[in-house]
Amino acid sequence: MAMALDSALPVGRSLRLRLDRDELIKRGLMVVIALYLVVGLAAPLAIMLSKSFSTYSFNLANFEFQVSDKDGNWGQPVTAAALNEKLDAVPPAKLATNSDGRLQATSFFPDFSFRSPVKYKIRGTTSDATYLVGLKPQTGTEWQELTSNDFRRVMLRPSRALGLENYAAYFSTPTLFRSIENSVFIALVSTIITVGLAFGFAYALNRSCMRFKGVFKLVAMVPILVPSLLPGIALIYLFGNQGMLKDLLMGASIYGPLGIVVGSIFFAFPHAMIIISTALAISDQRHYEAAASLRASRWRTFWTVTIPGARYGLISAAFVVFTLVITDFGLPKVIGGQYNVLAVDIYKQVIGQQNFEMGAVVSVILLVPAIAAFIVDRMVTKKQVALLSARSVPYQPKPNRGFDTLCLAWCSLIAVFILGIMATSQFAALVKLWPYDLSLGLKHFAFDRMDGGGWGSYYNSIRLAALTAVIGTVIIFVGAYMVEKTDGFRAGRTAFQFLAMLPMAVPGMVLGLAYIFFFNDPANPLHAIYGTMTILVVCTITHFYTVGHLTALTALKQIDQEFEPVAASLKQPFYKLFARVTVPVCLPAILDISIYIFVNAMTTVSAVVFLYSKDTTLASVAVLNMDDAGDVAPAAAMAMMIFYTNAAARLIHLFLSRVLIKRTQAWRMR
């Protein structure tokens, strides 16, 4: 009977879970932040990629002229191509140009005179043919009549085509192609030396009982607080043509690969040290006890236990350093001399030659090693996490006077190197006229008398850093929260994660150039922000998005997943849980994200060097401009101002962390 009733029932619609209001809001916020990343990163990169395949040339067949006589009688229409074939006014080699190319129409009329009563007509033979009359663009096939005086202001504009000609031109130009070899060579040498030095430093901190560990950790972090241009300036004062220690080089020049490598070691060292130190800190004491019970020597234990245990950290550090060095612009620009590298080539092509298409080509080439290193680093990082075990016993070093003394000496040498670079830069900022007047003074801090934007650039940097720290932290943390706490929506969360990880693989120079192509287009509705502080904020947040996102995710994963169901059962909206529980619990991570963005916004050069205007010059860019103008000492002074500001920000961050965390993290102390 029951079976008969069941068969008689009509087939209903399948049940679907209905999204509640909280889930709709979460997904909506995730989509909004994802759109920000699309507009701030994906779209500009796509436009830049298309620009790298774009070639421009003057298609003379697209323009047609008519010329009157003195009585106003019009002659037969004739194309610019026909005139050029007859007169050879523009050689074929000069027809190739860039997107901003202009060809004067009067080039095809050798007898032209702007005082002549002769009149001219011009039109395009195709609907997309473009020419300028003064600054006003004209398009179409309609005739336009002009006087001689107006016709002299007519400029033909090039036509666009897609192809591999730009790449062919790049790889067939030895001076440009050599930049790839130079960049890879510098990055490899710097990586090997930096990782070696950082491993020794981190090993001393984690495997010895030497004194002053806290001081050495503090000194090792100093390079993070300064722009990459600072070590270049300091090395010039130490080993330049009038350097204090130039005789130590025995005739070698600091301008070129030597200076770039030494400076790269300085600014990349803390990044490598942090990663390797983390890898060494998670070592398992039981492995060393097993090696000791087997009577293995310390040397054999080092190669069979220590190195294998830290190998993923070493590999990750190597790829991070490689990426930092190969994408850096400031240091090779200051001390590279005639030694070309990829990042500087982008700057030269865009600023020096206004060849934006070739700049896009170099940017795409620079993306390849950066993305490859990023992918390998992510794979290695996942394996590093997999090594952790709940039963692991933290390694506890034992006092050894000889070994501890050796570690202290090693760390002291590296600390002297770091502090020596900083002291030299400070000395350069204070000495009145090196090397003739070594008395000290503050005249180099009179930035308003120098090129580079004066004190206004310094205040602009503080404003930029503050805005990016506040706005960026909110965007990054909210985005990470939505990804971590949204139920379902797997495709959307995966796409968001990809967009959030992408900025780390994009060098600053590449991102800045991509912004030129995207936001400087008058057809773009967002064109209004170009040249304003807004675009600098957007670019800086996007550039440093990934590290903040990963930090936020790490903090959010530590929160028990039961909070959300409990809040839902109590009919509490998610935003109350977010404000009352999530934010207080994750406050240490939020503060870390904010100070990370602030410091990097103060020191960044490559990401903003193409985007500032006369009203938005920045301190880091002012260092570059003053150095270009020959004001090296004021450049050092501005670099030190950046250091002072970041050091003060770190102290404020430390104070706020202690005060706020004490109030919001008391539960951790129980």
Side-chain angles (χ1 to χ4, degrees), residues 476-500:
I476 291 170
F477 190 78
V478 170
Y481 180 85
M482 299 310 157
V483 166
E484 181 65 21
K485 301 301 180 181
T486 297
D487 295 327
F489 199 37
R490 183 174 181 180
R493 293 166 64 193
T494 302
F496 187 96
Q497 281 286 75
F498 171 77
L499 289 171

Side-chain angles (χ1 to χ4, degrees), residues 465 468-469 472-473 476 540-541 544 548 592-602:
T468 53
T473 301
I476 291 170
T540 306
I541 293 174
F544 301 109
D592 287 343
I593 294 170
S594 64
I595 192 62
Y596 169 80
I597 297 176
F598 183 95
V599 169
N600 281 281
M602 286 294 299

